[in-house]
């Protein structure tokens, strides 16, 4: 699991006037809205006696109150009021917990889980079609995986499995016709252009069948982004029908992943077709989930030597390479093994940006251990920019 990235914590519609608990990167967080409607995210662990803030309530000071002794924490994680001491009394300087930057986009709450300053953060991936309600109709789908996030992302961009795992996407006998036409990649993203030969599209009361012949060449573009561990799958059904599945994949812990997916379509945009679109998207996740939950090991193997890859796996190779680069050169991977001996005895927290700004502050909680970088960043070869814009 990697720190220093944006992740989706929850659907926007779920966080109303009560605090909500979410688990990400193996830690608990509380989300709460202030009076202006802004969502805030704090570590869920009260530094007084370990109360869970998400079981508390929001207050007139725009704080979240701990349910145990009522201490009130503001959006920056600072205690503003200690009821047992009374109004106007001094607050201990160390009465502060980690607070994380938040953004609401695409009907989702995004939280930056790390201590990088704003200018160094990779951006939340673009999804312009979501904003373009005139031309695209969205439906939301959620899926919970028994699988590690790195395997889930790899599955989402893997074209070769479609002929076997998804009857709606292809035929086993056409597996050698499916082709990766092009791979593009930047510092924190990759995309590839592919041609597949799927069966006729089902659904929409049989109407979809009329629009494309069986096994007609169909252009599919999967992309991945490190921020949000997002996968974007653009399917050009024919010359005028397109759909995109955009999903943010949040590591709940090492073995569990929660996908927040929005499917948009530029055809049959009336609400009556939403139910079918949701059902088919969810079914595709289920077909993948059955396979991913049984993979061994559950994580991507430590060494590429432990698996055998072929030419058709090259786009997955791009994902692995970019992920590894951020582990080996930047040191963003959480060392979960180092935390195991402390299980049940000690809580850790994900470092927030305030920790870098206040290096001498005596925070009550220790931060999660990270695996130290093992190599220095290589300079980009001449003529190849380190980062280019996603296509
Ligand atoms: S444990 Fe939170 S106020 Fe005491
Ligand atoms: Fe799949």
């Amino acid at each position: 699991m990697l720190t220093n990235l944006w992740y989706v914590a929850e659907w926007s519609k779920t966080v109303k006037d009560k605090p909500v608990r979410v688990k990400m990167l193996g830690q608990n967080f509380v989300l709460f809205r202030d009076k202006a409607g802004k969502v805030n995210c704090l570590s869920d662990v009260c530094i007084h006696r370990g109360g869970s803030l998400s079981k508390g309530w929001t207050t007139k000071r725009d704080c979240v109150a701990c349910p145990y002794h009522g201490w009130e924490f503001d959006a920056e994680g600072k205690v503003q009021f200690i009821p047992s001491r009374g109004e106007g009394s001094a607050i201990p300087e160390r009465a502060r917990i980690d607070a994380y930057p938040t953004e609401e986009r695409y009907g989702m709450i995004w939280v930056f889980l790390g201590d990088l300053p704003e200018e160094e953060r990779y951006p939340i991936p673009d999804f312009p079609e979501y904003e373009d309600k005139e031309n695209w109709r969205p439906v939301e789908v959620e899926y919970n995986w028994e699988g590690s996030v790195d395997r889930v992302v790899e599955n989402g961009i893997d074209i070769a499995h479609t002929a076997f795992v998804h009857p709606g996407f292809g035929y086993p006998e056409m597996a050698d016709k499916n082709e990766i036409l092009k791979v593009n990649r930047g510092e924190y993203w990759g995309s590839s252009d592919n041609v597949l030969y799927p069966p006729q599209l089902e659904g929409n009361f049989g109407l979809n069948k009329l629009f494309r012949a069986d096994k007609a060449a169909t252009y599919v573009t999967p992309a991945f982004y490190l921020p949000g561990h997002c996968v974007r799958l653009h399917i050009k059904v024919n010359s005028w029908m397109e759909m995109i599945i955009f999903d943010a994949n949040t590591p709940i812990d090492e073995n569990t992943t929660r996908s927040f997916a929005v499917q948009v379509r530029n055809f049959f945009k009336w609400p009556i077709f939403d139910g079918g679109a949701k059902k088919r998207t969810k079914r595709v996740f289920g077909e993948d989930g059955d396979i991913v939950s049984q993979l061994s090991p559950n994580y991507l193997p430590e060494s590429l030597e432990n698996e055998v890859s072929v030419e058709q796996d090259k786009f997955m190779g791009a994902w692995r390479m970019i992920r590894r680069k951020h582990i080996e050169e930047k040191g963003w991977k959480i060392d979960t093994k180092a935390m195991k001996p402390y299980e049940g005895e000690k809580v850790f927290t994900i470092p927030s940006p305030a920790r870098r700004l206040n290096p001498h502050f005596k925070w009550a909680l220790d931060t999660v251990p990270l695996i130290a970088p093992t190599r220095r960043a290589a300079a980009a070869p001449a003529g190849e920019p380190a980062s280019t814009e996603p296509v």
Side-chain angles (χ1 to χ4, degrees):
M1 296 186 290
L2 304 185
T3 59
N4 281 325
L5 295 171
W6 289 98
Y7 287 106
V8 170
E10 192 44 275
W11 296 106
S12 284
K13 63 186 179 203
T14 306
V15 182
K16 298 187 182 114
D17 53 346
K18 291 200 173 48
V20 171
R21 177 193 260 190
V22 289
K23 192 173 177 188
M24 297 180 282
L25 303 180
Q27 310 301 321
N28 289 322
F29 300 86
V30 56
L31 302 171
F32 67 101
R33 274 190 201 279
D34 59 24
K35 286 194 207 83
K38 177 165 188 328
V39 176
N40 303 301
C41 179
L42 307 178
S43 157
D44 193 42
V45 182
C46 176
I47 36 68
H48 177 220
R49 290 294 181 269
S52 166
L53 299 180
S54 55
K55 298 287 171 267
W57 56 89
T58 51
T59 75
K60 62 176 195 293
R61 291 181 186 79
D62 255 353
C63 289
V64 60
C66 176
Y68 203 177
H69 312 90
W71 289 24
E72 295 189 18
F73 295 81
D74 69 12
E76 287 181 53
K78 293 181 182 158
V79 172
Q80 293 296 342
F81 181 51
I82 299 180
S84 62
R85 289 170 64 81
E87 203 77 58
S89 61
I91 308 284
E93 208 209 337
R94 292 184 65 227
R96 179 172 192 185
I97 56 177
D98 288 274
Y100 304 89
T102 63
E103 291 267 347
E104 284 193 72
R105 235 175 272 175
Y106 324 136
M108 307 167 187
I109 297 167
W110 298 72
V111 177
F112 186 79
L113 294 180
D115 59 358
L116 289 186
E118 193 171 353
E119 61 280 6
E120 289 178 31
R121 297 173 201 155
Y122 294 149
I124 293 171
D126 284 336
F127 184 19
E129 297 83 0
Y130 182 85
E131 318 291 348
D132 181 6
K133 296 284 187 298
E134 207 173 299
N135 295 307
W136 297 88
R137 172 83 185 171
V139 292
E140 292 176 352
V141 171
E142 183 176 322
Y143 188 76
N144 291 284
W145 306 74
E146 280 173 50
S148 71
V149 76
D150 36 18
R151 288 283 198 189
V152 167
V153 171
E154 185 166 270
N155 166 267
I157 59 169
D158 173 6
I159 288 301
H161 83 288
T162 54
F164 295 90
V165 177
H166 305 299
F169 264 102
Y171 298 95
E173 68 271 21
M174 298 294 282
D176 66 332
K177 305 284 181 305
N178 295 339
E179 199 186 343
I180 301 178
L181 304 170
K182 193 173 173 218
V183 170
N184 309 292
R185 69 188 164 88
E187 195 182 349
Y188 56 84
W189 61 272
S191 72
S192 77
D193 299 329
N194 304 266
V195 59
L196 304 184
Y197 301 87
Q200 285 175 310
L201 208 60
E202 54 172 295
N204 293 345
F205 309 110
L207 290 170
N208 281 356
K209 276 207 170 12
L210 307 174
F211 299 112
R212 191 192 56 202
D214 187 31
K215 298 181 184 168
T218 301
Y219 293 88
V220 177
T221 303
F224 66 82
Y225 303 84
L226 219 42
H229 280 23
C230 291
V231 172
R232 178 190 156 102
L233 186 65
H234 191 153
I235 303 165
K236 295 195 170 111
V237 179
N238 60 26
S239 59
W240 61 276
M241 291 166 79
E242 296 181 35
M243 67 173 90
I244 297 163
I245 300 172
F246 176 98
D247 50 81
N249 300 292
T250 303
I252 304 302
D253 55 32
E254 282 182 290
N255 305 306
T256 325
T257 302
R258 187 175 173 201
S259 293
F260 299 84
V262 174
Q263 190 239 50
V264 293
R265 59 184 193 274
N266 72 347
F267 53 93
F268 302 143
K269 287 176 286 186
W270 304 282
I272 191 172
F273 294 105
D274 288 353
K278 266 189 186 192
K279 203 170 95 195
R280 285 188 295 279
T281 306
K282 192 133 193 174
R283 190 174 66 212
V284 171
F285 275 108
E287 290 163 352
D288 286 323
D290 288 348
I291 296 283
V292 169
S293 64
Q294 303 301 320
L295 298 178
S296 300
N298 183 24
Y299 321 112
L300 289 187
E302 292 289 335
S303 160
L304 296 181
E305 306 291 303
N306 294 133
E307 285 183 340
V308 179
S309 298
V310 293
E311 165 78 9
Q312 287 71 22
D313 301 322
K314 66 183 174 191
F315 187 46
M316 289 183 273
W319 153 245
R320 289 186 176 202
M321 197 184 299
I322 285 173
R323 185 180 156 273
R324 278 184 91 78
K325 197 171 146 69
H326 287 79
I327 295 170
E328 293 175 358
E329 293 178 5
K330 298 201 184 248
W332 287 359
K333 188 175 180 187
I334 298 174
D335 191 348
T336 45
K337 279 195 200 118
M339 288 156 66
K340 289 252 154 68
Y342 298 99
E343 237 164 49
E345 282 175 23
K346 181 176 164 129
V347 280
F348 292 91
T349 186
I350 303 291
S352 62
R355 294 219 180 211
R356 281 215 194 183
L357 297 172
N358 307 279
H360 303 299
F361 186 80
K362 289 209 174 349
W363 297 85
L365 297 183
D366 287 344
T367 57
V368 292
L370 299 173
I371 294 175
T374 52
R375 60 183 162 109
R376 286 164 66 108
E384 187 192 319
S387 170
T388 52
E389 284 308 302
V391 284

